[in-house]
Amino acid sequence: MTTTHASTPASASAPPAAVPVPVPVHQRVAELTATHIGPWQEGYLNDRSQAVAALARLRRGAGREAGETPDLWNLINTDALHTPATGTRALGEQELVRAENALHAALTLWAFHQQSRGKPMHRRHTRERPGGLGAAVRRLMPADGIDEPVRKRLFRAGTAPDLASLTHRLRDIVALLRREDIPLDYALLAGQLYLWQWPDGPAAVRRGWGRSFHEQRRPRPASDENTTPDTDKDAS
């Protein structure tokens, strides 16, 4: 007796492999920023000479575009932007330039922020502990009021005409945050600096800063207070 095996219906066949959603460029910039800052910040806080020297070099590049600072070319590794990985695509020339400039601006601002601080000044944003620029600025103010001069600094940054002007204005804000030991999510900021350089980007970034400002409506957590004495390993 011959047994006949029924063929498998087409509808029962294995589903096609899902096509990965491309990672947005601003997210790639944010992730690369965090990848750089992580070991530098840990090394700096543990007084490792290599990290201390790296931060000193980064600070000297503040206020300049990435291509203008050859001293940082072998320090800031941008291979991840040039080499497509799973879920990413090759970037065009304009995308690369803007991504490199955003990465450079965020890293040099962080290096200035971290200078002589004994606590990490880069801290990733969470819902429980907002780390965006607006939230950080709000924490400079009294819990029950608005500090108008500080608010105007954020507004002035939001109306900067270009990335170079924006970076200079952000440096003024970072100086205030540094004085109060208030951290910032520099990965998030790097992604925003990338978006800023595109049409309609400034408006979108300003909206993000505004939402972030209103996220932080409570006094700073006790765990964020300055309990670690300042260091002076690189006060230059």
Side-chain angles (χ1 to χ4, degrees):
M1 180 177 175
T2 304
T3 302
T4 302
H5 297 280
S7 59
T8 303
S11 60
S13 60
V19 177
V21 178
V23 178
V25 181
H26 77 275
Q27 185 177 325
R28 292 170 64 177
V29 173
E31 291 170 354
L32 184 56
T33 301
T35 297
H36 278 299
I37 290 179
W40 282 336
Q41 184 163 263
E42 180 187 5
Y44 183 84
L45 294 175
N46 286 283
D47 203 17
R48 295 176 191 149
S49 59
Q50 188 173 7
V52 173
L55 264 72
R57 290 170 63 187
L58 286 168
R59 289 195 302 275
R60 289 195 291 270
R64 303 178 184 177
E65 291 189 355
E68 298 176 357
T69 52
D71 181 53
L72 300 184
W73 291 351
N74 66 340
L75 182 64
I76 301 177
N77 188 338
T78 61
D79 286 353
L81 298 174
H82 293 262
T83 306
T86 303
T88 66
R89 59 174 176 78
L91 301 183
E93 179 63 21
Q94 196 172 40
E95 291 174 311
L96 279 171
V97 169
R98 292 176 175 180
E100 290 168 351
N101 282 338
L103 176 67
H104 173 92
L107 291 177
T108 54
L109 283 169
W110 163 74
F112 169 65
H113 196 167
Q114 188 63 62
Q115 179 186 7
S116 299
R117 300 294 93 183
K119 298 171 63 177
M121 292 295 102
H122 164 63
R123 190 193 72 199
R124 295 307 298 262
H125 164 84
T126 65
R127 260 182 123 169
E128 296 73 25
R129 302 173 75 195
L133 181 66
V137 169
R138 182 65 182 84
R139 290 177 61 199
L140 287 167
M141 303 180 186
D144 58 351
I146 297 295
D147 185 320
E148 193 59 24
V150 173
R151 189 199 67 80
K152 285 182 178 179
R153 286 181 183 270
L154 180 61
F155 175 80
R156 188 166 178 266
T159 57
D162 51 47
L163 184 63
S165 299
L166 175 59
T167 303
H168 282 295
R169 295 176 188 184
L170 288 176
R171 192 180 188 279
D172 292 339
I173 294 175
V174 169
L176 298 177
L177 299 177
R178 179 177 175 274
R179 185 181 67 191
E180 299 297 327
D181 273 352
I182 297 174
L184 186 63
D185 186 339
Y186 277 93
L188 175 62
L189 180 64
Q192 292 171 334
L193 294 179
Y194 173 79
L195 293 173
W196 181 277
Q197 299 170 79
W198 294 94
D200 301 324
V205 172
R206 284 194 296 268
R207 285 194 297 271
W209 290 349
R211 286 193 297 269
S212 176
F213 183 90
H214 292 289
E215 280 181 311
Q216 183 66 47
R217 300 294 295 178
R218 56 189 181 277
R220 73 180 67 176
S223 60
D224 284 346
E225 298 293 342
N226 181 13
T227 57
T228 306
D230 293 348
T231 64
D232 60 357
K233 52 175 141 333
D234 66 343
S236 59

